[in-house]
Amino acid sequence: MPNRITVTVVGGGIIGCAVAYELGRRGADVCVLERRDVGQGATQASAGILAPFIEADHAGPLRQLGSRSLELYSRFVSDVVADSGAVVPYERCGTLEAAMDASSLARLERAARALSETGLECRLLNAAEALIQEPHLGPSVIGALHVPSHGFVAASALTTALREAAMRHGVSFLAPCAVTRLTSTGSRMSAETNQGPRHSDVVVLAAGSWTEGLEFGQKPSLPVRPVRGQLLQLRWPTGSRLKQVVWSTGCYVVPWPDGTTLVGATVEDVGFDEGATVSGVMSLLDAAREVLPATEHAGFEAVRVGLRPGTADDLPVIGTRRSAPRLVYATGHYRNGVLLAPVTAQLVGDLVLEAAPGPLLEGVSPDRFASAPDARAGETAAAGWAGSDPARIRVARQEKKR
Ligand SMILES: Cc1cc2nc3c(=O)[nH]c(=O)nc-3n(C[C@H](O)[C@H](O)[C@H](O)COP(=O)(O)OP(=O)(O)OC[C@H]3O[C@@H](n4cnc5c(N)ncnc54)[C@H](O)[C@@H]3O)c2cc1C
């Protein structure tokens, strides 16, 4: 096919695989470089919850991206299933966000009012109504917010299916293949790897928590950093599974059709340490037992650990810098990479193939981290990849309690 755009995707997590699938099915010549195996980064640990109206508790870019992605989800999953032939567990069973003290209940009341004003179907329940909605709730629950449109998807199964579907659209995967450096050579990009260089028109950087070392001197480097999450895999004790995802201030609990129940997740600032800890496991078990006492009798199957790619403002980084138009960022998805995979893929596809940066990109541009002199340098640096040298942006975080 003449003039096919060539794209190298760095990273084979759910974001890299979703982007590769989207670009491949829209006709690009795509190669994914992954240093481990597909889906073995943060993605393998994910609970797969699709809950923008909990994660983004106010109107803003995350709410906009999350609700758009949720709208895309059913079609996205059915396309991937059709193109791959794989089975991907996916349910829109709703979430029940439980309050166990007066201030949490007041917060849920405010959230219910605000969400209802936007037209979203949701219901604030008192303790008795909440117990009917979810009979496993413990006596400390005094109220709950039910959002029926939320759900979950099996993130690992979806990522494997995305790889298969992408390959059927001609995308190639090199794994294990570690990218050591990205450079630009005129109108081309080069990825240096432990298996030699690879040249393409565009590079999509989807390396999750490991983004920072790869930016070939772009300044300031993006403040993407690892935020460890531990998640428990239990076997639910009784025959009656939970009816929906249950969320409390200390944990969330996801019921799988096969009786597996996920309890997540810790939020820890410990660098690149991917190990599980006793305190992490205990804190999750305590929180789960409080909201769902039957957890006491669950079987213990596994602990999963992943490094979420966090950013200073908890928003993903999608798009290009003015100083590097052939380097497309798709990273920093923090707690919502599974939810945001469809919308990220669509936005990157439109940007790379149609040169059409959608309005949703405005709030998540990599240039939001640049200082004013840096941004000005970028405007005149399209050919030279120039940049000034401002102090590195400090990563300051305000973790939500949940
Ligand atoms: C415990 C836990 C629970 C979560 N629950 C949810 C949830 O319920 N819902 C939700 O939406 N999100 C959830 N998340 C967040 C979600 O998992 C992440 O946002 C998402 O997986 C990020 O995907 P990614 O592809 O950007 O990163 P990753 O999955 O980390 O993939 C990045 C890939 O890049 C590769 N890579 C890095 N450097 C290089 C290099 N130099 N060369 C080649 N390859 C490289 C890595 O090996 C890795 O495979 C959770 C995360 C955790 C840890």
Side-chain angles (χ1 to χ4, degrees):
M1 194 187 297
N3 298 328
R4 267 176 97 196
I5 190 165
T6 54
V7 183
T8 302
V9 177
V10 181
I14 193 164
I15 297 297
C17 288
V19 166
Y21 170 60
E22 178 75 9
L23 291 171
R25 69 174 168 166
R26 287 166 68 172
D29 177 358
V30 185
C31 179
V32 179
L33 308 179
E34 166 55 55
R35 67 175 177 178
R36 297 179 181 177
D37 196 1
V38 160
Q40 294 306 301
T43 300
Q44 52 73 35
S46 175
I49 301 172
L50 311 171
F53 303 107
I54 294 179
E55 283 288 343
D57 51 15
H58 58 277
L62 186 57
R63 171 76 66 81
Q64 285 179 323
L65 283 169
S67 53
R68 177 69 189 131
S69 213
L70 191 64
E71 283 168 9
L72 296 173
Y73 233 99
S74 294
R75 176 69 193 271
F76 181 72
V77 171
S78 69
D79 284 354
V80 174
V81 165
D83 283 351
S84 65
V87 174
V88 178
Y90 165 66
E91 284 191 23
R92 296 290 281 271
C93 55
T95 52
L96 193 66
E97 195 176 359
M100 288 182 282
D101 58 46
S103 75
S104 300
L105 188 58
R107 187 179 60 75
L108 291 187
E109 282 164 359
R110 285 194 300 276
R113 265 197 307 277
L115 291 175
S116 298
E117 279 166 17
T118 69
L120 183 84
E121 185 188 349
C122 67
R123 209 155 61 95
L124 189 70
L125 308 176
N126 63 28
E129 291 167 333
L131 202 57
I132 292 168
Q133 180 64 35
E134 183 49 74
H136 286 290
L137 289 180
S140 46
V141 174
I142 58 172
L145 178 61
H146 182 222
V147 180
S149 57
H150 283 158
F152 65 86
V153 67
S156 288
L158 177 57
T159 306
T160 307
L162 279 164
R163 173 178 56 184
E164 187 58 37
M167 286 170 67
R168 291 190 188 181
H169 284 285
V171 174
S172 56
F173 284 77
L174 280 183
C177 175
V179 175
T180 51
R181 209 159 75 100
L182 298 173
T183 53
S184 91
T185 50
S187 61
R188 303 277 280 168
M189 292 289 295
S190 295
E192 291 176 23
T193 80
N194 58 356
Q195 298 180 28
R198 188 187 156 81
H199 309 289
S200 56
D201 299 316
V202 171
V203 166
V204 177
L205 187 46
S209 290
W210 299 271
T211 298
E212 192 174 348
L214 292 170
E215 286 187 87
F216 70 98
Q218 290 296 302
K219 299 290 181 186
S221 54
L222 279 193
V224 177
R225 61 168 204 161
V227 181
R228 185 170 72 185
Q230 302 184 48
L231 176 134
L232 312 180
Q233 189 174 319
L234 308 179
R235 182 142 294 275
W236 198 244
T238 67
S240 60
R241 85 185 254 248
L242 299 174
K243 286 156 67 180
Q244 60 260 299
V245 176
V246 173
W247 204 293
S248 77
T249 43
C251 70
Y252 52 71
V253 184
V254 187
W256 287 86
D258 67 356
T260 301
T261 301
L262 302 180
V263 178
T266 62
V267 178
E268 301 168 84
D269 186 1
V270 292
F272 286 92
D273 180 351
E274 292 176 270
T277 64
V278 170
S279 64
V281 172
M282 284 172 61
S283 68
L284 292 172
L285 288 176
D286 287 345
R289 272 187 313 191
E290 190 183 2
V291 66
L292 298 165
T295 307
E296 186 80 32
H297 307 291
F300 194 94
E301 294 196 338
V303 189
R304 299 187 202 163
V305 185
L307 301 177
R308 308 174 184 91
T311 61
D313 55 11
D314 290 348
L315 294 173
V317 183
I318 310 170
T320 54
R321 295 190 193 226
R322 283 183 287 268
S323 55
R326 290 178 179 276
L327 176 65
V328 178
Y329 293 84
T331 185
H333 290 75
Y334 189 37
R335 295 168 60 110
N336 290 293
V338 179
L339 168 66
L340 298 178
V343 76
T344 301
Q346 193 176 73
L347 289 168
V348 171
D350 291 349
L351 186 62
V352 170
L353 299 174
E354 324 279 343
L360 285 174
L361 287 180
E362 277 166 23
V364 293
S365 156
D367 277 328
R368 73 187 188 271
F369 298 112
S371 64
D374 207 35
R376 281 198 301 277
E379 278 165 17
T380 56
W385 312 99
S388 60
D389 191 20
R392 185 164 176 264
I393 292 174
R394 193 173 69 86
V395 179
R397 311 186 54 73
Q398 284 288 322
E399 295 296 358
K400 287 184 194 125
K401 271 196 185 155
R402 54 180 183 251

